[in-house]
Amino acid sequence: MEFLEAAKEAALAAGQVLEEWAGKFTVSEKGPADLVTEADVAAQNAIVSVLQPRFPQHGFLGEEGLRHAAGVGDFRWIIDPLDGTTNYVHRFPYYAVSIALEQAGELVAGVIYDPSKRELFAARRGAGATLNNQPLQTSRFQRLRDAMVIASFPPNAKSDSSPLKRFLHVINHAQTVHRSGSAALNLAYVAAGRLDGYWSTSLKAWDMAAGVLIAREAGGRATRMDGSLLDLAIPDILCTNGTALHEELSLRLGEVESGTAP
């Protein structure tokens, strides 16, 4: 419980930093790229300043060049201070702070904070998931044709690339398909039942660690796209509400990989 409460405090602190920096975008002579980098680093520093003094033996892995090996206990914090950078720059309210804790490779706590909506998603292994302290439960849709699903793919993806082919193929089978720009919130929304499935082959560990735990603790399932064991070091994830939808979506994605998609 101590770990989760510390993660929540750190996420809220980082979220406040991001919102403060966002106000500078229209009044600064610096370009958006420079400002977002400064905001990113400032938010990451806010997270570390909360966690490191409390857990000095813990390791850290963060998007903004943060690398510290774990000491006693083999704990490591996995941090994305700003997931959804392009959305943030354009003030599109779909970005978040993501913080996870793993011990010996097992996720034990995770928090995703959306500062624009003040929504705090959280989970502790074996204790369920919450949104602003209220229990979360995934949706119960069983069939892809009834499902709202979402994908991530690189911004420079070409029309004939696998990520785009998968996206267009699933459009033919799902009720609706989206692309949002924040992997962390996509996973949190699967946990909350707002989305039914999500996939990507372009993520880093810090993009998905917290969201994977939150989704699983809400009743969801997270694997690689072919249904095999998820590995945070490999950019290949399929996360769903945990129903038969998982197998069906995995099948449709596999049709693109195998070349059997019409």
Side-chain angles (χ1 to χ4, degrees):
M1 193 67 173
E2 176 190 10
F3 297 143
L4 186 58
E5 292 306 314
K8 289 179 178 180
E9 182 180 334
L12 291 172
Q16 182 175 346
V17 168
L18 291 178
E19 294 306 272
E20 290 171 353
W21 271 93
K24 301 177 183 180
F25 275 56
T26 57
V27 297
S28 174
E29 294 180 0
K30 292 184 178 180
D34 294 326
L35 282 170
V36 78
T37 298
E38 292 181 34
D40 224 331
V41 171
Q44 183 166 279
N45 289 342
I47 293 168
V48 174
S49 69
V50 172
L51 298 177
Q52 198 165 48
R54 298 186 191 184
F55 312 111
Q57 294 297 319
H58 287 191
F60 287 85
L61 173 66
E63 182 180 22
E64 293 302 318
L66 182 63
R67 305 287 189 278
H68 294 306
V72 177
D74 203 19
F75 286 98
R76 181 175 70 159
W77 294 96
I78 304 174
I79 297 166
D80 191 344
L82 173 55
D83 183 72
T85 302
T86 301
N87 292 344
Y88 178 72
V89 169
H90 289 275
R91 302 304 292 146
F92 183 77
Y94 201 83
Y95 53 88
V97 179
S98 178
I99 303 173
L101 177 65
E102 66 174 13
Q103 182 181 23
E106 292 290 330
L107 294 167
V108 296
V111 169
I112 293 171
Y113 179 54
D114 177 349
S116 65
K117 299 182 184 66
R118 296 181 180 174
E119 291 190 330
L120 183 64
F121 302 84
R124 184 163 50 94
R125 188 174 64 185
T130 60
L131 167 55
N132 292 345
N133 296 316
Q134 298 302 308
L136 284 180
Q137 174 64 56
T138 57
S139 69
R140 295 290 89 196
F141 290 111
Q142 300 278 337
R143 299 173 299 184
L144 186 55
R145 71 184 187 189
D146 300 321
M148 177 182 289
V149 296
I150 198 162
S152 291
F153 45 84
N156 59 350
K158 305 301 182 184
S159 59
D160 60 347
S161 65
S162 291
L164 264 295
K165 287 180 179 178
R166 286 191 291 266
F167 188 87
L168 295 173
H169 181 54
V170 174
I171 282 177
N172 295 323
H173 300 279
Q175 185 177 81
T176 186
V177 185
H178 295 272
R179 179 195 183 204
S180 71
S182 173
L185 282 180
N186 292 345
L187 291 163
Y189 276 34
V190 170
R194 298 171 180 175
L195 293 168
D196 308 305
Y198 167 60
W199 76 91
S200 178
T201 55
S202 58
L203 304 185
K204 301 293 186 181
W206 48 75
D207 297 313
M208 54 181 166
V212 164
L213 181 64
I214 293 168
R216 285 173 171 168
E217 289 295 323
R221 183 180 175 192
T223 67
R224 294 177 70 175
M225 288 196 306
D226 64 3
S228 60
L229 188 67
L230 182 69
D231 184 339
L232 294 180
I234 299 173
D236 181 339
I237 184 173
L238 169 62
C239 181
T240 71
N241 59 11
T243 69
L245 172 66
H246 196 93
E247 285 76 15
E248 185 182 357
L249 184 50
S250 176
L251 175 66
R252 295 305 181 190
L253 294 168
E255 288 174 342
V256 176
E257 301 306 306
S258 66
T260 59

